[in-house]
Amino acid sequence: MPLALLALAVGAFAIGTAEFVIMGLLPEVADGLGVDISSAGYLISAYALGVVVGAPLLTAAATRLPRKSVLILFMGLFALGNLGTVLSPTYEAVFASRVVAGLPHGAFFGAGALAAAQMAGPARQGRAVARMFLGLTVANVVGVPVGTLLGQELGWRAAFLVVTAIAALAAAGIAAFVPRLPRAGTGRLLSEVRALGRPQVVLGLLAGVFGFAGVFAVYSYISPMVTELAGIPERGVTVVLALFGIGMTLGSLVAGPLSDRALRPTVYGSMAALTVLLLAFTYTVHNPWTAMASVVALGAIGFGVTTPLQLLVMNKAGSAPTMASAANHSAFNLANAGGAWVGGLGISAGLGLTSPAALGAALTLVGLAIALTAGALDRRNARTRRPQETTTDSTEPAATGTQQHPDTEEP
């Protein structure tokens, strides 16, 4: 299993690098394609559009396919999309290639999280999913800074050529080391769609949208915040971004075991701590040392939200988890876009550069309220069914083909 998880993590590393490296290469991309910075910025939106649309569509198309084959196909499509970015001669072609590269993002993470949990078994699901996501966090520490430097020195297309090679390596690793897994769930599209509409799944997705939006309300504007408020020089922004990635990595290592031990409390604690941190950030950002420490904490606590929510949504989908697992990544990308939009509204309204942190705290607080509501509904339904000794849902296999987490019994 370690080599199988490593192959999945390498795929996550490639995806994380491709998603964020373009942010550091916008001037080079704009010059190379003969467009302005704002037009180059739309290429980021193109990728996000692909993620949101592709997660449910590709997952639906691949419902009946073996999970190992699906992972290879998704990573192959991702590699082709990035190769298209390297070879595309015009802005319009690059835009289309970014949409294609984004299509398998959420679907790969959704299928990969289920595969990791299946391989690990019920007692270590959180650790396995967190280890896969570790590739995404390491991408922010290593992949994005190195890719940015490579793109600045050799041309921006070189960064995406390297991403293509890493994606091909990940596909080969999955083919070699990931075992053939029994299909988790019914394999029927209608069942997957119905599971996606379960109240607890919907609440889990909404909690992710609002709970994680607070992170990107700040992260989207971290460069002007730390340079203008903390007095960190522009050349130090790369270090700040790397610190955020280090925090994400630490959060990934801690969130897995905590999720295995107590899933819902981990969700509550992460969101509550994130709310407090974002409020504190409005003060700590005025000093370079406290600002950098807060950025590490932002990455760690923010990522502490993602792993337990991923497991929660997977388990709440019962015997049809694939669509819900992929949709969770669409939810996180909506959080990225929504958080950046809300943070920008505060700045545009003249509320100052600390306003994204305050608004982000409000968003996360809404996410916490949704998560608490979902937990209360769970407890109420548990009390209702306890005298009956059995329910229809209690006979369903868990999201990963194993026993459900005790903190997330299906109502």
Side-chain angles (χ1 to χ4, degrees), residues 172-311:
I174 293 168
F177 301 118
V178 173
R180 293 190 178 277
L181 299 167
R183 182 182 290 122
T186 65
R188 295 193 298 268
L189 179 58
L190 183 58
S191 297
E192 295 285 346
V193 174
R194 284 174 175 168
L196 193 60
R198 290 184 176 189
Q200 285 288 352
V201 173
V202 173
L203 288 172
L205 294 174
L206 286 174
V209 170
F210 285 96
F212 200 64
V215 175
F216 269 81
V218 171
Y219 187 67
S220 300
Y221 304 98
I222 197 67
S223 179
M225 291 175 78
V226 299
T227 54
E228 296 185 30
L229 300 180
I232 295 174
E234 289 188 4
R235 64 180 179 274
V237 172
T238 302
V239 175
V240 172
L241 296 179
L243 289 174
F244 180 80
I246 291 171
M248 290 177 66
T249 303
L250 295 174
S252 175
L253 294 173
V254 174
L258 287 178
S259 298
D260 285 332
R261 182 180 295 272
L263 188 50
R264 278 208 186 273
T266 301
V267 173
Y268 303 152
S270 296
M271 287 191 181
L274 185 58
T275 302
V276 173
L277 175 65
L278 289 169
L279 288 174
F281 195 75
T282 60
Y283 300 96
T284 59
V285 73
H286 295 282
N287 177 278
W289 297 108
T290 56
M292 288 189 290
S294 297
V295 167
V296 174
L298 181 66
I301 299 173
F303 202 82
V305 174
T306 60
T307 297
L309 281 177
Q310 180 73 42
L311 285 172

